[in-house]
Amino acid sequence: MNGQQQGGYPPQGGYPPQGGYPPQQGGYPPQQGGYPPQQGGYPPQQGGYPPQQGGYPPQGGYPGQGAPQRSSAPKVMGILMIIFACLGLIVSLYRLSSSPSGELPGDFLKSLKTYVMITEVVGLLLSITHLVGGIFAVGYKPAAPLLATIYGAGALGMNMVGVILYYVMVAPKLKDVGGTVGEAVGNLGGAMLIVMTVLASIWPVLVLILMNTKGAKAACRPA
C-alpha cells in the first residue's frame, strides 16, 4: 500500500482549480459606463421647468394700478384759483362800494371815479370767471381749461389796460390840479402801479401755463 501511494495520497494540490466563479471579465456583464445613458438625468427640460418668461405673469401691482393716473394739476390749481378769486371779489366789491369822493378841482375826481369803475367792474367779472373756473378744475370738468384760459388772458390784458388808462385818465388830471407836484405824484403813482401790475400778472401766467398742459387737459376730458 505504501508503494502504491508513493509517499501518501495521490497529489491533489487542494480542491480542483476553480478560480472563483465562472469568469465574468471584470465582474458583472459590461454595462458600458453604468446605467443606460440618461443625457443629464431626467428627460431634457431645456433649463429646468418650462420657461416662464421672467417669472410670474406680470401683475403691475394691484388691479387698476397699471393704467396711467389722472394728473392732479387741475385739482391743485382749482383750489388756488378759488382762494385767489374770493380775494379778488372782496377787493373789487370794497373798491366799488368806497368810490373816491370829496372836493377836488377840475375833472380829476370825475376821471378817478371813471377809472375805478372801469377797472373794478372788469376785475369783478374776471374774479367770477376765476372762481367758476376753479370750481370746475377741482371737479375735473371739461370746461375748466377754457375758463382758466379766459381768466388768465383777460387778467393779463386788463392789467395792461389799467396802466394805460391811468396814464391817459388820471396822471394828466393830477398835473392839472397840482402842477409840478401833481405831475411828480402822478409819476410816482404810475411807477407803483407798474410794479403792482407785474406782480399781479404772475398768477394769471401760471394759470395759463399749468391749466393748458397736456396732462391737465387730458385729466379734464370725459372718461
Side-chain angles (χ1 to χ4, degrees), residues 33-49:
Y35 294 99
Q38 299 290 334
Q39 295 183 357
Y42 294 100
Q45 301 273 341
Q46 296 184 356
Y49 293 100

Side-chain angles (χ1 to χ4, degrees), residues 10-181:
Q12 294 182 357
Y15 293 98
Q18 294 183 356
Y21 294 97
Q24 300 287 335
Q25 296 183 359
Y28 294 98
Q31 299 290 333
Q32 296 183 357
Y35 294 99
Q38 299 290 334
Q39 295 183 357
Y42 294 100
Q45 301 273 341
Q46 296 184 356
Y49 293 100
Q52 299 290 333
Q53 297 184 355
Y56 294 101
Q59 301 289 335
Y62 293 99
Q65 290 188 353
Q69 294 184 353
R70 174 185 285 184
S71 173
S72 60
K75 187 172 184 179
V76 174
M77 291 297 295
I79 294 173
L80 295 176
M81 288 171 68
I82 291 172
I83 295 173
F84 291 143
C86 291
L87 294 176
L89 285 172
I90 294 173
V91 171
S92 296
L93 291 174
Y94 173 76
R95 289 180 178 176
L96 286 173
S97 62
S98 58
S99 59
S101 60
E103 295 294 334
L104 293 174
D107 296 332
F108 173 74
L109 184 59
K110 182 180 179 180
S111 298
L112 184 59
K113 285 183 177 181
T114 304
Y115 171 79
V116 171
M117 181 65 64
I118 293 173
T119 55
E120 296 306 326
V121 168
V122 175
L124 186 63
L125 296 176
L126 287 173
S127 294
I128 294 173
T129 305
H130 196 185
L131 179 61
V132 177
I135 295 173
F136 278 27
V138 171
Y140 292 97
K141 302 296 182 181
L146 177 61
L147 290 173
T149 302
I150 293 174
Y151 159 72
L156 291 175
M158 191 57 209
N159 287 343
M160 292 186 291
V161 170
V163 174
I164 294 172
L165 289 178
Y166 175 84
Y167 280 103
V168 171
M169 299 176 62
V170 178
K173 301 303 180 181
L174 281 172
K175 183 178 179 180
D176 293 340
V177 171
T180 305
V181 176

